[in-house]
């Protein structure tokens, strides 16, 4: 029997380790993501600046994780490539204990900035940051930088997602013919909720006759349930759809199939379905990444909370020229964006 | 809300979506049912589905040939099913743990290949709905049952075929015998290893197809880890369905219908009288209730037990 036991052990160990190795393999070796260099470059440091990122979904998710990945790659390009900024990342780490282990590992490896890109990582990060006072951490979406808890090495960042939500709501209200608009929400919390609330207000402020139907799937990753939600909205008469989180690829696939317009958020989703995605609110974190690098290089490692808005350029509306959006809709959206930026219009109810 | 809820549009909408949503569960669970009836639990269904989903999507992206994409996903499923057979039959490994290994393997492999070969995803045009002549024109019934894409029809047609194979053929008798008392089957000259290999490999092929059904027939896009637990639910559906094809189908339909129902509740409940969290709990509450009150009539006695000639 001992022979069988050894064989069994080797088989199990082999299968598990092959799986683990492949899972690990899938994470590193990022490909270069093209991005236009933005103004206000981070000050070139004498030494290579090391950034680590831990995120809950794939860096190719066309949503939350990709938004930060693209931003860091843009800053990296701006700083002269890998010699100026080294990026290591662990993606698809939805489970908090696994993320906490990765964050701790990166902190211990001497990274200058460890970005915990997920609201759910907050509690763990608070504990880890205490143990590494010389490492700067950042987490979002969040407003609490833990300064009140005595921590000086944590940055927080938060998008005012409702702003772009409102602007996209104006567009949706202008182009809907059935006067029914569907919203595919993931979890009723965080920037997903503020985006949905802003979007609803944008629609109803612009078109009193329009109905906004909202569903939540209860998680950020269930692609097929998100597709079912989108299909339900179309059956209920919606001819324009939007939604948030990485699981919206399911809904975008349905929108393409039904030949209706989709409005995206977090990343520019036009590439997923060029004939379907009308516009996206893009989280452009590159500005705050540069700011954090500059602060860290000048000795400040945290205790700052950043907010991205339409006004400061951290949020952008990216149109997709391949989908025809009438000029009057774009003009109304631009006016709403200006009013929000000027503080004349509240995006949230 | 209530009057709206009982409107024809809503009720047909729920039934239509329920049937459509059940498709990947049905493919995966029917395959897994054969594996389990032969005595092997393959917990790696989720991993095989992921590789199937990637293969299907990648081939469809490169060639625009959906049938070739489906065929390739099935072949990949067969290969992974053979690997699982080798691990559980020849190596006699603990099936639960090796299944988790297979899941991790599939998760990692699909993510790795996606990053290396595709990098980004762009929607494809999947299988389009086919209206069955005459039947599709029947009001309500036609809309609910006879206006789906080809994979939905295939999945449901497999149910009676699976029941026939399992209950009316010699091969089916051998499968059942091997799953209940392998040593007795062996003494009568039935090759336990061959039967288990066939069933687990068939289960792998079905899991590959189930995975490919997501990008090719339901979603039109691929995303890493896109199965999001469907494979594990499929394994549970086999228990839920009492190891019978009809039971598995009813389980898949119940789960999908309640999921479709909760989405409609959210759409119609404008004033949010029912919290979305409650609506989302419905499919799981139903599942637990049925599991708690259901009978385990057909559970194979030799389930998860490796067979070695002469050791009994």
């Amino acid at each position: 029997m001992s022979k069988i036991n050894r064989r069994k052990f080797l088989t199990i160990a082999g299968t598990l380790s092959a799986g683990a190795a492949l899972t690990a393999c899938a994470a590193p070796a990022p490909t270069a993501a093209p991005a236009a260099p933005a103004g206000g470059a981070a000050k070139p440091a004498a030494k290579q600046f090391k950034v680590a990122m831990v995120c809950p979904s794939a860096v190719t998710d066309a949503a939350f994780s990709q938004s930060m990945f693209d931003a860091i790659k843009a800053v990296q390009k701006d700083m002269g490539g890998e010699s100026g900024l080294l990026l290591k990342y662990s993606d698809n780490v939805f489970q908090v204990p696994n993320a906490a282990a990765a964050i701790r590992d990166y902190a211990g490896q001497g990274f200058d900035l460890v970005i915990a890109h997920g609201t759910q990582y907050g509690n763990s990060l608070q504990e880890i940051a205490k143990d590494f006072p010389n490492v700067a951490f950042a987490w979002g979406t969040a407003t609490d930088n833990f300064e009140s808890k005595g921590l000086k090495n944590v940055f927080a960042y938060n998008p005012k997602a409702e702003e772009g939500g409102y602007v996209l709501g104006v567009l949706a209200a202008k182009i809907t013919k059935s006067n029914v608009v569907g919203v595919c929400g993931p979890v009723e919390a965080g920037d997903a909720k503020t985006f949905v609330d802003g979007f609803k207000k944008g629609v109803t402020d612009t078109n009193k006759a329009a109905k906004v139907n909202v569903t939540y799937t209860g998680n950020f990753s269930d692609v097929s349930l998100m597709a079912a939600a989108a299909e339900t909205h179309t059956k209920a008469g919606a001819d324009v759809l939007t939604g948030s989180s990485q699981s919206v690829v399911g809904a975008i696939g349905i929108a393409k199939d039904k030949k209706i317009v989709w409005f995206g958020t977090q990343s520019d989703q036009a590439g997923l379905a060029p004939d379907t995605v009308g516009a996206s609110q893009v989280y452009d974190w590159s500005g705050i990444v540069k700011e954090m690098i500059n602060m860290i290089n000048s000795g400040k490692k945290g205790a700052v909370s950043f907010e991205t808005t339409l006004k400061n350029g951290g949020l952008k509306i990216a149109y997709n020229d391949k989908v025809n959006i009438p000029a009057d809709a774009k003009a109304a959206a631009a006016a709403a964006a200006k009013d929000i930026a000027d503080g004349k219009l509240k995006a949230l109810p | 809300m209530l009057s709206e809820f009982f409107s024809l549009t809503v009720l047909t909408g729920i039934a239509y979506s329920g049937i459509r949503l059940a498709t990947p569960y049905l493919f995966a669970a029917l395959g897994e049912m054969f594996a389990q009836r032969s005595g092997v639990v393959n917990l790696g269904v989720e991993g095989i589905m992921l590789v199937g989903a990637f293969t299907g999507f990648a081939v469809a992206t490169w060639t625009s040939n959906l049938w070739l994409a489906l065929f390739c996903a099935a072949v990949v499923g067969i290969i992974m099913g053979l690997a699982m057979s080798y691990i559980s039959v020849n190596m006699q490994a603990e099936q639960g743990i090796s299944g988790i290994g297979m899941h991790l393997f599939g998760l990692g492999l699909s993510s790795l290949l996606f990053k290396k070969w595709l990098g980004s995803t762009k929607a494809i045009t999947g299988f389009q709905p086919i209206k069955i002549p005459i039947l599709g024109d029947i009001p309500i019934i036609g809309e609910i049952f006879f206006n789906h894409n080809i994979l939905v029809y295939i999945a449901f047609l497999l149910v009676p075929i699976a029941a026939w194979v399992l209950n009316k053929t010699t091969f089916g008798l051998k499968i059942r015998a091997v799953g209940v008392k392998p040593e007795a089957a062996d003494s009568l000259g039935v090759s336990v290893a061959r039967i288990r290999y066939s069933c687990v490999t068939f289960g792998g092929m079905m899991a590959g197809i189930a995975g490919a059904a997501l990008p090719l027939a339901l979603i039109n896009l691929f995303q890493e880890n896109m199965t999001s637990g469907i494979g594990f639910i499929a394994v549970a559906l086999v228990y839920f369905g009492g190891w019978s094809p009809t039971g598995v189908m009813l389980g898949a339909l119940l789960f999908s219908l309640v999921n479709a129902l909760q989405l409609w509740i959210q759409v119609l409940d404008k004033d949010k009288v029912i919290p979305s969290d409650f609506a989302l709990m419905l499919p799981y509450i139903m599942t637990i209730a049925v599991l708690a009150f259901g009978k385990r009539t057909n559970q194979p006695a030799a389930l998860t037990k490796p067979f070695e000639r002469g050791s009994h």
Side-chain angles (χ1 to χ4, degrees):
Chain A
M1 285 305 282
S2 67
K3 192 182 168 197
I4 289 167
N5 284 340
R6 197 161 59 241
R7 276 165 57 189
K8 274 188 197 175
F9 174 77
L10 287 172
T11 311
I12 292 167
T15 321
L16 283 173
S17 52
L22 275 171
T23 311
C25 275
T31 50
K43 284 175 200 162
K47 68 177 182 69
Q48 184 191 43
F49 193 91
K50 292 186 194 168
V51 178
M53 172 173 89
V54 177
C55 54
S57 49
V59 294
T60 54
D61 68 355
F64 185 65
S65 296
Q66 187 169 350
S67 68
M68 182 54 86
F69 181 73
D70 285 352
I72 301 171
K73 295 301 282 185
V75 175
Q76 184 183 52
K77 196 174 177 192
D78 217 14
M79 290 173 69
E82 216 166 74
S83 59
L85 185 149
L86 174 76
L87 169 64
K88 293 279 177 195
Y89 66 90
S90 300
D91 64 350
N92 279 321
V93 198
F94 189 77
Q95 301 295 336
V96 174
N98 296 342
I103 294 165
R104 196 173 275 283
D105 271 2
Y106 283 129
Q109 285 169 23
F111 279 84
D112 300 296
L113 171 63
V114 180
I115 301 176
H117 192 54
T119 311
Q120 67 268 45
Y121 304 150
N123 285 340
S124 303
L125 183 66
Q126 202 181 325
E127 297 305 315
I128 297 165
K130 270 183 210 158
D131 299 339
F132 297 92
N134 294 321
V135 177
F137 296 88
W139 79 294
T141 59
T143 50
D144 185 2
N145 58 47
F146 303 129
E147 194 182 8
S148 60
K149 310 261 170 42
L151 289 174
K152 300 275 186 216
N153 58 335
V154 178
F155 295 105
Y157 53 87
N158 192 53
K160 294 202 83 175
E162 65 272 21
E163 295 191 354
Y166 189 100
V167 175
L168 296 178
V170 171
L171 287 171
K174 286 279 184 189
I175 65 168
T176 177
K177 293 192 171 63
S178 65
N179 279 339
V180 182
V181 177
V183 180
C184 306
V187 176
E188 209 170 345
D191 62 319
K193 180 168 173 23
T194 55
F195 171 77
V196 171
D197 290 346
F199 182 87
K200 271 167 70 178
K201 187 163 188 278
V203 175
T204 46
D205 280 1
T206 312
N207 181 350
K208 299 281 180 236
K211 276 200 304 186
V212 185
N213 293 331
V214 181
T215 53
Y216 286 98
T217 58
N219 73 64
F220 294 100
S221 56
D222 196 334
V223 179
S224 57
L225 192 57
M226 201 50 117
E231 195 173 82
T232 306
H233 284 303
T234 58
K235 290 258 177 206
D239 63 351
V240 181
L241 293 179
T242 189
S244 178
S245 89
Q246 60 271 26
S247 59
V248 295
V249 295
I252 294 172
I254 297 295
K256 177 188 155 65
D257 222 27
K258 308 277 180 196
K259 298 187 172 50
I260 59 176
V261 176
W262 171 267
F263 288 115
T265 185
Q266 298 183 323
S267 276
D268 187 349
Q269 292 167 343
L272 291 172
D275 51 355
T276 303
V277 180
S280 306
Q281 164 173 246
V282 179
Y283 291 0
D284 182 355
W285 305 109
S286 59
I288 65 161
V289 171
K290 282 174 193 165
E291 226 170 306
M292 285 192 288
I293 292 172
N294 285 339
M295 284 182 178
I296 294 164
N297 282 337
S298 56
K300 187 166 177 61
K301 293 189 187 304
V304 178
S305 291
F306 297 98
E307 198 157 62
T308 55
T309 62
L310 288 170
K311 191 175 183 180
N312 67 21
L315 299 177
K316 293 188 168 98
I317 303 294
Y319 284 98
N320 173 18
D321 293 339
K322 295 196 177 81
V323 174
N324 181 34
I325 308 270
D328 71 312
K330 283 188 179 174
K338 186 174 183 308
D339 285 350
I340 291 169
D342 293 347
K344 290 181 195 159
L345 179 64
K346 290 262 172 282
L348 280 177
Chain B
M1 176 196 163
L2 212 58
S3 61
E4 260 185 294
F5 188 79
F6 287 107
S7 73
L8 218 51
T9 318
V10 174
L11 293 177
T12 42
I14 291 171
Y16 177 87
S17 298
I19 288 172
R20 195 176 132 94
L21 272 177
T23 308
Y25 294 100
L26 201 49
F27 274 120
L30 280 176
E32 174 69 7
M33 187 207 66
F34 274 94
Q36 291 200 15
R37 284 305 286 262
S38 77
V40 180
V41 169
N42 179 5
L43 272 186
V45 172
E46 177 92 352
I48 302 177
M49 279 184 74
L50 279 168
V51 182
F54 167 76
T55 307
F57 182 75
V59 175
T61 301
W62 294 326
T63 67
S64 300
N65 186 334
L66 298 176
W67 288 107
L68 181 66
L70 194 69
F71 174 76
C72 292
V75 170
V76 167
I78 287 172
I79 295 168
M80 291 182 76
L82 278 171
M84 191 65 202
S85 308
Y86 180 73
I87 292 165
S88 52
V89 177
N90 293 64
M91 304 306 281
Q92 304 189 355
E94 176 61 52
Q95 291 170 13
I97 297 171
S98 51
I100 293 168
M102 188 58 82
H103 167 224
L104 286 174
F105 177 79
L107 174 65
L109 185 67
S110 57
S111 292
L112 178 68
L113 294 180
F114 173 70
K115 284 199 174 88
K116 293 286 176 204
W117 289 353
L118 290 177
S120 62
T121 179
K122 189 176 163 191
I124 54 166
T125 303
F127 287 107
Q128 295 300 303
I130 301 169
K131 195 173 175 183
I132 306 279
I134 306 167
L135 293 173
D137 293 324
I138 304 170
I140 306 167
I141 305 281
E143 197 180 328
I144 294 173
F145 295 104
F146 302 111
N147 200 7
H148 290 279
N149 67 64
I150 186 77
L151 292 192
V152 178
Y153 297 128
I154 293 175
F156 281 89
L157 277 175
L158 281 173
V159 176
I161 296 172
W164 177 74
V165 170
L166 204 57
N167 299 316
K168 304 282 180 198
T169 65
T170 319
F171 182 60
L173 182 67
K174 285 178 184 172
I175 294 171
R176 286 182 285 138
V178 165
V180 176
K181 213 157 179 58
E183 55 275 25
D186 181 60
S187 70
L188 292 170
V190 175
S191 166
V192 175
R194 193 177 298 164
I195 294 290
R196 287 189 172 172
Y197 253 86
S198 321
C199 290
V200 177
T201 306
F202 175 72
M205 182 187 82
M206 293 287 271
I209 293 173
L214 294 173
L216 301 182
L218 290 173
I219 295 164
N220 303 325
L221 276 158
F222 176 82
Q223 191 178 54
E224 290 175 50
N225 200 12
M226 77 184 296
T227 47
S228 190
I230 292 175
F232 289 108
I233 293 171
V235 174
L237 281 174
V238 177
Y239 284 75
F240 185 102
W243 291 269
S244 90
T246 318
V248 164
M249 180 189 74
L250 291 177
L253 273 176
L254 178 73
F255 187 77
S256 307
L257 281 171
V258 180
N259 245 328
L261 171 83
Q262 63 90 1
L263 287 169
W264 272 103
I265 290 175
Q266 291 192 54
V267 165
L268 297 176
D269 183 18
K270 295 274 180 298
D271 306 321
K272 298 292 164 207
V273 180
I274 302 168
S276 64
D277 302 310
F278 179 75
L280 285 163
M281 279 193 294
L282 274 178
Y284 302 97
I285 292 173
M286 292 288 279
T287 312
I288 292 167
V290 176
L291 270 181
F293 296 111
K295 284 183 191 163
R296 295 191 171 190
T297 44
N298 290 327
Q299 179 161 15
L303 193 61
T304 75
K305 290 178 188 143
F307 172 73
E308 191 175 16
R309 187 175 275 175
S311 68
H312 295 273

